[in-house]
Amino acid sequence: MEHSPAKPTSEETGDKAAHSCCAVHEHGAAAAPMDKPYTDPVCGMRAAADPARSAEYDGKIYYFCGKRCVERFVSDPLKYLQPAQVQEPTLAESKAIYTCPMHPEVEQIGPGSCPKCGMALEPCDATAQADDSELRDMTRRFWIGLACSIPLLVLGMGDMMPGLNLHAKLGMMWFDGLQAALATPVVLWCGWPFLVRAVASFKSRQLNMFSLIGLGTSAAYLFSLVSWLMPDTLPPAFKMAGMAPVYFEAAAVIVTLVLMGQVLELRARSRTNSAIQSLMQLVPDLAWRVAVDGSEQEIALDKVQIGDRLRVKPGGKVPVDGEVVDGNSQVDESMLSGEPMPVEKKQGDKLSAGTINQVGSLLLRADKVGRDTLLAHIVQMVGDAGRSRAPIQKLADKVSSWFVPAVIGSALLSFAGWALFGPAPAMANGLVAAVSVLIVACPCALGLATPVSIMLGVGRGAMAGVLIKNAEALETLEKIDVLAIDKTGTLTEGKASIQAVQVADGGNEESVLRYVASLETLSEHPLGRAILRYTSGRGIVPAAVSDFRAHNGLGVSGLIDGLPVLLGSLRQMQDAHVDVSSFDVFAADCARYAHTLVYVATAGRAAGALSLADPVKPGAADAVRQLRASGVRVVMLTGDNAATAEAVARTVGIEEYHAGLLPQDKLALLKQLQIDGHRVAMAGDGINDAPALAQADVGIAMGSGTDIAMQSAGVVLPKGDLAAIVRARTLSRLTMRNIRQNLFFAFVYNFLGVPLAAGVFFPWLGWLLSPMIASAAMSFSSVSVITNALRLRHADLDTLKK
């Protein structure tokens, strides 16, 4: 007995439409045709017993129509073998909110069309699977419309083809009736969605592109019906040589071309979310969970719980956010930083979902899963920012508010002008001109010019380690002329580390570091942690310490292997009468770069010295150089002392800096810069930077900083590198240039298209625009805007030009 195929999900239904040849049969089917006796569990189609297209699961063999179905089945067999568990939508999915890409204020539960512009709505949840039902519906209507429109075109051109003059053979009544029979299904069925949206737009008084299409095609079709069925009721001005013309051909071809435009637009729009889809695909579907006894089990990602220990194998993707508890490897974090170089990871280091393990095996403790991971937050932030509105959108909104009424008015004036002053048949020519005006105008191109570029720009930034939280920040970033940068954690790493070690003549560096590590294991001084990180990385094993003492503000001392050891500042050495003059040159170099110097003495003699500092981030100097070369005034702000501030500023190439600032001082400085007429961006990472980040025209938060800093900023750099600021400003410039190009195309297109369609140039140049040509031009106007915006997906963000 044949097993009935599982009801396909929406994704699988789309795959059927895309490759109808796909056929699958479950093992054991008997009622199917002999050549294809099995059912593919993925798409439900027929499949032959081909070993090359088979897979085994739980002791049973399944056959498939193609290799793609095999791959999908192998990745998640239960998804297709237990359809009941995946067919029913979850509560969240059943209540999913959809919005319009052109009018983000429009929201409704479930998919549909926008009441303002008629466009297909998209899910607000950036991780939700997009509904492609409208694309499939429009595609089906287009092919049926094309099948009817081609014979109509042949009939219309029949007079130019020898022996095909059906007009003369059939007679006027039957010839026009044949055109009506072909055009009616195209206009009334293929074009039905346009007519419904047009009626809805007039009811709600939200006129849009479909208002114009509905008016134009209805006018042409209804006039043709009257001309065919009741020609005597038409005024003489509509006739030539006593006959009334029909425009069935124009009405049908217009609908077909508009459908083609919708199909191309919907396909192009689906590509605008490619950045989000690419981010979502970074997370693996499965994870290897390690049990207490050390055994490993592969489980679905949604089964991972906080606290689980997961194995990340070489070449594997990190499934969740967590901490390395065992292992050492190099991890590709380019999805966060935009930098191609892998980062070394060892015990205690943090890992983020979506990053890629390179060589070694890592044991990870899951700290954040599902929607709580950094990658999930990034995906949602990209989706939210893509729907936000840039200030430049106000121009398009203002024009769109009067655009459609103006087009309808132009169509009426065109009809009147031709009817009163045009050649015979005057009113028929006026109708053609009016229809052309209605069809050629496309407010959709104007409305899409900004949001589609914003969506793609934000997505491109996310792939390059730049998270844009709203469109206003993206637009403003290109206008800044002053960049204020916090020092600690922004220009520098934000934590001290050993920069250099020097030992006395005849001394041993490893022995000196062993003494230092031994004393610091018992110390609570902040610099002690930096010293221990360094010695631990060198493999230094601390020794036992007796008679340990902490000298407040000076250093520490103790007995190690029976030898008295002293670790501390210059004053500590002077108080203990230890001569450290042999390190004077080393001390002078440290003072020049504002490093902290720590001396080590054994048995009353100087043994070594350590230089500690908060190091400048790699690439900071190059980023500052590029920003200054592009015309940005870079100012460093810090609460640190003047000597340290001067040393860091000199290292990265900043000429203007302000030291010893409190949070209110940073805020006041930014306000003064704005009063002086500057557009200011602020980059910082700490709680003390939050007021300045909020005050700045654009706040830029380091992702390695505090939550309050990231909440106060409009731009977040997940890895906190300064090179990402360069990429962010380049992204802003490229995106805004793309938007201006789109607006220019839309304005110029309509500025030239409407007069041409109205026949303004006819008296002098003889130029006219056929309604069918107008329809093709209108359809491609939106597609051209989206296609131009799609160039942002591959924009080079690494170079900032003035």
Side-chain angles (χ1 to χ4, degrees):
M1 181 175 181
E2 182 179 301
H3 296 275
S4 59
K7 180 179 178 181
T9 62
S10 58
E11 178 183 355
E12 296 157 12
T13 305
D15 287 343
K16 273 190 188 180
H19 56 285
S20 59
C21 63
C22 184
V24 194
H25 281 50
E26 185 178 86
H27 183 64
M34 293 302 295
D35 59 335
K36 293 184 177 181
Y38 300 101
T39 301
D40 184 332
V42 174
C43 64
M45 301 295 287
R46 302 291 185 182
D50 184 353
R53 297 177 179 179
S54 66
E56 183 176 352
Y57 179 77
D58 197 20
K60 187 179 290 186
I61 298 177
Y62 299 86
Y63 295 100
F64 304 83
C65 67
K67 292 184 178 180
R68 182 182 178 190
C69 286
V70 177
E71 294 171 356
R72 296 181 66 184
F73 178 83
V74 171
S75 67
D76 189 0
L78 292 180
K79 178 179 179 180
Y80 305 103
L81 298 182
Q82 298 179 4
Q85 297 181 10
V86 298
Q87 286 173 11
E88 294 298 326
T90 64
L91 180 62
E93 290 171 339
S94 64
K95 294 185 177 180
I97 303 299
Y98 282 67
T99 186
C100 174
M102 283 174 56
H103 303 93
E105 69 277 9
V106 174
E107 292 185 348
Q108 72 173 44
I109 297 176
S113 58
C114 175
K116 291 188 175 182
C117 64
M119 294 184 68
L121 301 181
E122 299 175 346
C124 290
D125 185 355
T127 62
Q129 182 178 344
D131 179 37
D132 65 345
S133 58
E134 181 168 9
L135 174 59
R136 288 184 280 111
D137 180 58
M138 290 294 179
T139 302
R140 181 171 56 252
R141 294 176 188 271
F142 165 69
W143 287 113
I144 294 175
L146 184 65
C148 294
S149 297
I150 290 177
L152 270 172
L153 285 172
V154 173
L155 290 174
M157 296 184 297
D159 291 341
M160 297 182 291
M161 299 180 184
L164 194 62
N165 191 352
L166 295 179
H167 181 278
K169 294 179 179 179
L170 297 177
M172 191 66 152
M173 189 68 177
W174 286 102
F175 180 76
D176 291 347
L178 181 58
Q179 292 190 73
L182 290 169
T184 297
V186 178
V187 175
L188 297 185
W189 184 81
C190 297
W192 183 252
F194 306 149
L195 299 177
V196 170
R197 295 176 190 181
V199 172
S201 70
F202 283 105
K203 285 183 177 180
S204 63
R205 298 184 181 179
Q206 299 284 347
L207 303 184
N208 52 53
M209 175 183 76
F210 297 102
S211 310
L212 304 179
I213 295 171
L215 278 178
T217 55
S218 298
Y221 178 74
L222 293 175
F223 174 80
S224 300
L225 281 180
V226 174
S227 296
W228 172 46
L229 299 174
M230 297 177 290
D232 295 337
T233 62
L234 295 175
F238 273 109
K239 302 176 181 179
M240 176 175 283
M243 294 186 298
V246 294
Y247 301 104
F248 288 120
E249 172 194 0
V253 173
I254 286 172
V255 169
T256 302
L257 290 173
V258 173
L259 283 167
M260 180 177 67
Q262 287 291 292
V263 170
L264 294 175
E265 179 183 319
L266 289 167
R267 285 181 178 174
R269 280 173 56 192
S270 67
R271 295 165 61 194
T272 61
N273 286 322
S274 59
I276 292 179
Q277 298 302 321
S278 297
L279 287 172
M280 291 171 60
Q281 291 171 4
L282 291 174
V283 181
D285 297 326
L286 303 171
W288 287 96
R289 181 164 59 192
V290 181
V292 178
D293 61 2
S295 62
E296 299 182 6
Q297 179 187 11
E298 192 173 31
I299 61 172
L301 185 62
D302 58 4
K303 301 297 183 183
V304 176
Q305 303 292 323
I306 294 176
D308 283 351
R309 295 196 307 164
L310 306 174
R311 176 73 63 190
V312 185
K313 299 181 179 182
K317 297 177 180 178
V318 178
V320 297
D321 290 1
E323 182 177 309
V324 178
V325 295
D326 187 37
N328 192 303
S329 182
Q330 299 283 328
V331 176
D332 179 1
E333 293 189 334
S334 58
M335 54 81 65
L336 292 177
S337 65
E339 298 295 335
M341 293 299 295
V343 179
E344 183 178 359
K345 295 293 181 180
K346 57 185 181 301
Q347 183 176 351
D349 289 341
K350 298 294 184 180
L351 290 176
S352 296
T355 55
I356 304 173
N357 187 22
Q358 298 288 293
V359 287
S361 176
L362 294 173
L363 187 62
L364 164 72
R365 184 191 67 239
D367 293 337
K368 294 180 180 180
V369 300
R371 295 179 182 272
D372 294 328
T373 64
L374 175 60
L375 180 61
H377 286 304
I378 290 174
V379 169
Q380 191 59 47
M381 190 183 298
V382 171
D384 293 342
R387 290 189 298 272
S388 61
R389 299 171 75 78
I392 197 173
Q393 178 68 25
K394 295 177 181 178
L395 172 63
D397 290 344
K398 187 174 182 179
V399 173
S400 296
S401 64
W402 55 259
F403 182 82
V404 175
V407 170
I408 294 175
S410 299
L412 293 174
L413 287 175
S414 176
F415 176 79
W418 279 90
L420 294 174
F421 307 108
M427 296 186 73
N429 289 334
L431 177 64
V432 172
V435 170
S436 296
V437 170
L438 291 172
I439 296 300
V440 76
C442 184
C444 230
L446 188 61
L448 281 172
T450 297
V452 71
S453 295
I454 292 292
M455 184 181 300
L456 285 158
V458 169
R460 177 67 183 91
M463 300 300 293
V466 178
L467 300 184
I468 307 295
K469 293 176 65 176
N470 56 71
E472 183 175 0
L474 182 61
E475 178 176 342
T476 307
L477 196 56
E478 72 154 352
K479 302 174 184 176
I480 66 165
D481 58 349
V482 176
L483 173 63
I485 305 182
D486 172 57
K487 178 183 75 70
T488 306
T490 305
L491 282 170
T492 66
E493 296 287 356
K495 56 183 180 183
S497 63
I498 293 180
Q499 302 299 301
V501 178
Q502 191 171 67
V503 298
D505 291 341
N508 181 277
E509 181 176 321
E510 186 171 341
S511 297
V512 170
L513 291 176
R514 180 171 173 266
Y515 292 144
V516 170
S518 302
L519 290 173
E520 289 298 353
T521 55
L522 302 177
S523 172
E524 297 181 355
H525 195 279
L527 291 181
R529 291 190 291 272
I531 292 174
L532 289 176
R533 282 196 300 269
Y534 181 81
T535 56
S536 176
R538 291 280 300 269
I540 303 296
V541 180
V545 179
S546 60
D547 195 22
F548 176 81
R549 295 182 183 181
H551 307 276
N552 190 25
L554 297 176
V556 294
S557 63
L559 291 176
I560 302 175
D561 298 333
L563 191 69
V565 179
L566 182 65
L567 173 67
S569 65
L570 175 62
R571 182 179 170 184
Q572 171 85 323
M573 297 296 142
Q574 291 172 341
D575 290 349
H577 305 291
V578 176
D579 181 14
V580 293
S581 59
S582 60
F583 296 104
D584 285 351
V585 175
F586 182 64
D589 289 338
C590 292
R592 180 170 179 265
Y593 291 100
H595 289 186
T596 299
L597 191 61
V598 178
Y599 294 93
V600 183
T602 58
R605 300 182 59 181
L610 288 74
S611 167
L612 293 97
D614 181 7
V616 170
K617 289 183 177 180
D622 185 61
V624 169
R625 179 187 59 77
Q626 288 197 58
L627 289 165
R628 293 185 60 186
S630 70
V632 177
R633 172 183 164 192
V634 182
V635 182
M636 187 182 77
L637 312 179
T638 180
D640 210 338
N641 61 75
T644 303
E646 190 275 336
V648 172
R650 182 175 62 250
T651 301
V652 299
I654 295 178
E655 296 179 353
E656 182 179 351
Y657 62 91
H658 301 269
L661 301 182
L662 297 174
Q664 56 266 35
D665 299 327
K666 294 181 181 180
L667 180 63
L669 183 59
L670 258 66
K671 287 182 177 179
Q672 186 58 52
L673 287 168
Q674 291 170 326
I675 291 173
D676 294 340
H678 295 289
R679 290 289 187 93
V680 185
M682 171 70 190
D685 75 322
I687 294 176
N688 62 329
D689 297 321
L693 289 170
Q695 175 64 35
D697 295 286
V698 180
I700 304 173
M702 303 292 115
S704 54
T706 60
D707 289 342
I708 189 172
M710 287 185 276
Q711 291 169 3
S712 304
V715 178
V716 177
L717 310 179
K719 295 299 290 183
D721 61 320
L722 269 293
I725 296 181
V726 174
R727 292 195 291 271
R729 194 153 189 265
T730 303
L731 174 69
S732 175
R733 287 190 168 185
L734 293 176
T735 302
M736 296 312 301
R737 184 173 67 184
N738 192 273
I739 289 174
R740 295 185 188 103
Q741 290 170 347
N742 285 346
L743 289 173
F744 175 80
F745 293 154
F747 279 123
V748 169
Y749 165 81
N750 286 293
F751 179 77
L752 296 176
V754 171
L756 180 61
V760 171
F761 303 108
F762 180 77
W764 301 280
L765 302 174
W767 290 356
L768 280 176
L769 192 65
S770 162
M772 291 181 287
I773 300 299
S775 176
M778 183 277 297
S779 297
F780 282 102
S781 61
S782 296
V783 177
S784 64
V785 166
I786 297 176
T787 301
N788 181 57
L790 285 170
R791 296 189 300 116
L792 289 171
R793 295 189 306 168
H794 308 291
D796 179 12
L797 305 182
D798 292 325
T799 304
L800 180 60
K801 298 180 180 179
K802 188 171 181 178

